[in-house]
Amino acid sequence: MSASFEATPAWASAQDAADPLRAFRDEFLIPPHEGRDSIYFCGNSLGLQPRAVREAVNAELDYWGELGVEGHFKGRLPWMDYHEFVRDDLASVVGALPAEVVVMNTLGVNLHLMMVSFYRPSAERPAILIEAGAFPTDRYAVESQVRLHGFDPATALIELQADEPNGIVSMAAIERALAEHGSRIALVMLPGVQYRTGQAFDLKAITALSHKHGCLVGFDLAHAVGNLPLQLHDSDADFAIWCSYKYLNGGPGAVGGAFVHQRHATAVLPRFAGWWGHDKATRFQMGPTFVPTPGADGWQLSNPPILALAPLRVSLEVFRRAGMDALREKSLRLTGYLEYLVQTELADVLQVVTPAEPTRRGAQLSIRVIEGRERGRALFAYLMAHGIIGDWREPDVIRISPAPLYNRFADCLTFAEVVRAWMRAG
Ligand SMILES: *Cc1c(COP(=O)(O)O)cnc(C)c1O
């Protein structure tokens, strides 16, 4: 693939001009830097605001002003069913049946709610398998669930150690962990894309392997949703959870999502119940007995936050128009170009942590400065001061994520030019 890349402004702008998705950039507000567009590579942390969001939020404020409580039933998109207006688009982004997904709460809350149902430890099978170096919330959540059930994290929290350089975990390592501990593991809880290394995991293979050992499987898709085309239904995973403010551009603190596989749609499972999870047909009879709505909707607790759902609805509509397959196609080339520039122009100073195989990563490249953490911090500060927005993850990683909806090939080239200027500045 690299043979087709060139490190010249002419090549990069020709690519941008020929990009079938190029018009989508204009649908987003690009944060300015010193009077010009910044080079925003931080969609893995907080995606940009679609321009249409303001009007969508204002419309709900207007309905509230004009209709009051009647807004639940009137208006273009009555609030009563509002979470259903995002369902089909979300289902297609994650490759699920509509009834398998629900938009609710935030990632950490959904992780707990899912574990209430799908982490059912016993004396023989008390353990959860997670990756070493998991995102803090995931680590805290599983550890607190282990304790809640009266088990000791020292023995019931099994951490999958990286076996490849730079914290990358091979499928063989997962196989070995399951061969060794599988009979004690109640739940396998792994990421879709690891937040620090950018490694993408094979959800289907992990699920098949884990099920073979009798373990249930959940995935944290914080960095995968809207980044990789997912086939959650076909992956056969038991559940998944994600946030919507990263690649999905749902806005700061956006409402998160959850997937529950169809086979659990009507299963009798322990769960934390709330009135919005109650069967829709009889919810307003206000009876004392909880009857869950079949499917993922049955895990809802509360009536949904309309002002927070409006941006997500707009943003998912952008994904529908762009299409995950087209986004992935561009993403492969865009991230491939960034990698090419690092390897051919900057290899003396930078090292890419993220796997080189395109099937093992999404948009993000995690980059380390070879001279060490202090120089890494210095480069990161220099990039930010020059309007190149990435983010820093301890201990020594700069995450750069070209998002195919609004990043350009020229952005990658500018990144390389600014790094070279930093090198010259010493
Ligand atoms: C972003 C992220 C979170 C954030 O959780 P919130 O509950 O949305 O604050 C959790 N886990 C992972 C892996 C993440 O990348």
Side-chain angles (χ1 to χ4, degrees), residues 66-84:
E66 287 157 23
L67 300 170
V69 70
E70 290 287 284
H72 283 106
F73 316 103
K74 294 182 178 166
R76 195 166 68 87
L77 301 163
W79 302 330
M80 187 65 96
D81 304 315
Y82 205 95
H83 76 282
E84 297 174 15

Side-chain angles (χ1 to χ4, degrees), residues 130-136 139 159-161 194-196:
I130 62 167
E131 90 267 31
F135 191 94
R139 164 85 204 198
E159 287 182 289
L160 184 60
Q161 299 297 332
Q194 218 281 342
Y195 80 99
R196 188 188 280 115

Side-chain angles (χ1 to χ4, degrees), residues 196-408:
R196 188 188 280 115
T197 64
Q199 178 186 1
F201 287 85
D202 184 338
L203 309 191
K204 191 169 184 167
I206 291 171
T207 304
L209 203 58
S210 306
H211 282 171
K212 207 175 78 190
H213 287 275
C215 324
L216 294 182
V217 186
F219 289 106
D220 181 332
L221 302 178
H223 282 267
V225 64
N227 177 12
L228 294 170
L230 298 166
Q231 283 83 37
L232 274 186
H233 177 82
D234 291 343
S235 80
D236 217 32
D238 294 284
F239 73 89
I241 41 104
W242 56 87
C243 50
S244 310
Y245 46 81
K246 293 172 178 167
Y247 294 97
L248 282 189
N249 309 316
V255 191
F259 161 88
V260 178
H261 196 277
Q262 186 185 32
R263 70 177 162 280
H264 302 300
T266 55
V268 179
L269 291 162
R271 72 177 96 193
F272 286 169
W275 75 316
W276 228 254
H278 186 97
D279 185 12
K280 218 176 136 181
T282 55
R283 182 188 296 151
F284 283 87
Q285 291 174 9
M286 309 304 250
T289 308
F290 177 71
V291 180
T293 304
D297 273 5
W299 272 265
Q300 294 176 101
L301 296 180
S302 304
N303 76 101
I306 304 304
L307 296 180
L309 280 176
L312 186 59
R313 188 179 59 74
V314 165
S315 156
L316 286 169
E317 200 223 63
V318 175
F319 275 86
R320 186 209 311 151
R321 284 187 282 115
M324 269 320 290
D325 289 342
L327 286 167
R328 175 62 172 161
E329 198 177 311
K330 177 175 171 186
S331 178
L332 283 167
R333 297 196 66 238
L334 202 56
T335 296
Y337 186 49
L338 180 65
E339 183 188 43
Y340 163 85
L341 293 170
V342 172
Q343 305 298 22
T344 56
E345 312 263 302
L346 310 169
D348 292 348
V349 280
L350 302 186
Q351 178 201 10
V352 176
V353 168
T354 309
E357 305 92 323
T359 53
R360 294 178 84 196
R361 69 185 186 204
Q364 169 184 328
L365 290 188
S366 301
I367 291 169
R368 189 182 275 151
V369 174
I370 291 165
E371 287 173 85
R373 184 177 182 281
E374 286 321 303
R375 290 289 283 163
R377 292 268 355 158
L379 172 60
F380 179 65
Y382 189 91
L383 290 170
M384 295 295 283
H386 289 78
I388 311 261
I389 316 298
D391 66 6
W392 174 265
R393 280 294 171 268
E394 295 294 347
D396 59 359
V397 163
I398 297 173
R399 300 189 304 182
I400 299 290
S401 303
L405 273 174
Y406 47 76
N407 282 120
R408 303 169 298 191

Side-chain angles (χ1 to χ4, degrees), residues 83-234:
H83 76 282
E84 297 174 15
F85 303 139
V86 299
R87 175 184 297 153
D88 289 358
D89 287 339
L90 184 63
S92 78
V93 165
V94 299
L97 304 173
E100 290 177 320
V101 298
V102 62
V103 172
M104 60 180 188
N105 314 312
T106 48
L107 184 152
V109 175
N110 290 339
L111 176 53
H112 276 295
L113 293 180
M114 290 294 123
M115 282 196 286
V116 166
S117 297
F118 297 107
Y119 171 53
R120 306 300 305 160
S122 63
E124 304 74 52
R125 213 183 250 283
I128 302 186
L129 179 72
I130 62 167
E131 90 267 31
F135 191 94
T137 229
D138 303 70
R139 164 85 204 198
Y140 305 155
V142 297
E143 181 166 338
S144 62
Q145 289 270 341
V146 165
R147 289 187 198 281
L148 177 74
H149 288 281
F151 293 98
D152 181 359
T155 53
L157 195 60
I158 301 173
E159 287 182 289
L160 184 60
Q161 299 297 332
D163 61 330
E164 291 183 28
N166 302 320
I168 306 303
V169 181
S170 73
M171 223 21 236
I174 300 175
E175 278 186 56
R176 280 194 300 273
L178 284 163
E180 189 182 344
H181 306 288
S183 63
R184 291 184 58 243
I185 294 172
L187 175 66
V188 171
M189 185 67 225
L190 290 174
V193 173
Q194 218 281 342
Y195 80 99
R196 188 188 280 115
T197 64
Q199 178 186 1
F201 287 85
D202 184 338
L203 309 191
K204 191 169 184 167
I206 291 171
T207 304
L209 203 58
S210 306
H211 282 171
K212 207 175 78 190
H213 287 275
C215 324
L216 294 182
V217 186
F219 289 106
D220 181 332
L221 302 178
H223 282 267
V225 64
N227 177 12
L228 294 170
L230 298 166
Q231 283 83 37
L232 274 186
H233 177 82
D234 291 343

